[in-house]
Amino acid sequence: MMEELKAFAETLQNRDAAKTEEATKTSYIIPFFELLGYNTKSPIEFVPEYDAEVGTRKGDKVDYCIIRDGEPIIIVEAKHHKENLDNHFKQLFHYYATTHPKFAVLTNGIEYRFFTDIDNKNVMDTKPFFIFNALKFSEQDVATLKKFRKNSFDVFSLGNVAEEMKYANQIKYAIKGIIEEPNDDFIRYILSDIHKGKKTQQLVDKLRPIVKEAIGKVVDELITARLADIQERMKAEEPVEPETPAEKEIISQVNTTKEELEAFFNVKYILRNIVP
């Protein structure tokens, strides 16, 4: 699937030729869901202009709805590739409430935001649990996207995945925020083990830059230790001897230093989950 997505990303290089929302849908959004295995030409599986009316709101329709066993499982609201998706959340939120799917996707053909109802059942969460960018994705992104393919789609397991991803992302952002700017609560938590006196706001403000610097040093030490471990592993690996005289001749003409090899193996290890 990785190669298919790379080929799909290539088609997006000409996206400026898609002048309208309809052109974005036809050229990029529909092919994306076909790549996931859905039959976009089936009126009982991939339904365009799906009815999302409720009460006095007449004529509301979500762009696409993927149906399984007669029930909506994914609704898709599609926008022009230049649209900022932040401006269309409320529209999708309304459609989710009226159509009752398990998942919802908001997309402009480049970015695909996946939503569900983790916080309150049948109420779409305000933040996506997964964002797939068709121009910039990792192997982990592809692994997650594969779970939405027609032949592997399972509502129960995907619900668990969505919940895990949501909390993992929130924890990651919280940790990143603390590293970049430690908040009062975090500083008071640190002080609880090292300061028995009153934790006044004046003391918290005084220690904030010290805590921030200490966190930076810990992160640096962890990175340094990881790189040292990588270097030790690389040194333990036996070099592969060239098998033919021609290979030996080529290698003999290359002057690669020890430092260059270590740098190469470090980068290779760091990018192992991104670059095959």
Side-chain angles (χ1 to χ4, degrees), residues 89 92 102-104 113-116 124-129:
F89 167 80
L92 184 65
K102 179 58 181 176
F103 299 98
R113 300 182 182 182
F114 290 77
F115 296 84
T116 189
M124 193 177 86
D125 297 334
T126 57
K127 293 182 179 180
F129 66 88

Side-chain angles (χ1 to χ4, degrees), residues 20-74:
T20 64
E21 182 179 296
E22 198 60 35
T24 299
K25 293 177 184 177
T26 303
S27 300
Y28 307 119
I29 297 172
I30 288 179
F32 179 83
F33 284 95
E34 288 176 343
L35 193 152
L36 292 179
Y38 296 100
N39 183 359
T40 61
K41 296 179 176 61
S42 170
I44 60 173
E45 178 178 324
F46 196 88
V47 184
E49 296 294 302
Y50 188 77
D51 186 7
E53 291 183 357
V54 64
T56 58
R57 295 188 60 159
K58 302 297 181 182
D60 281 355
K61 296 182 185 297
V62 63
D63 287 312
Y64 305 107
C65 181
I66 298 175
I67 304 289
R68 173 174 288 184
D69 298 327
E71 297 294 330
I73 55 172
I74 304 174

Side-chain angles (χ1 to χ4, degrees), residues 74-85:
I74 304 174
I75 59 171
V76 181
E77 185 60 19
K79 299 300 175 185
H80 186 259
H81 64 83
K82 289 186 178 180
E83 281 289 320
N84 183 344
L85 295 181

Side-chain angles (χ1 to χ4, degrees), residues 150-191:
K150 177 182 175 180
N151 61 3
S152 58
F153 186 95
D154 179 80
V155 171
F156 180 76
S157 63
L158 267 175
N160 291 335
V161 169
E163 186 171 11
E164 291 173 4
M165 291 186 69
K166 175 185 176 179
Y167 291 125
N169 287 332
Q170 289 180 345
I171 291 169
K172 181 179 71 175
Y173 293 138
I175 292 174
K176 182 180 178 182
I178 289 173
I179 291 174
E180 293 177 348
E181 193 60 44
N183 58 41
D184 292 359
D185 290 338
F186 180 75
I187 295 173
R188 287 193 170 91
Y189 171 75
I190 295 296
L191 285 174

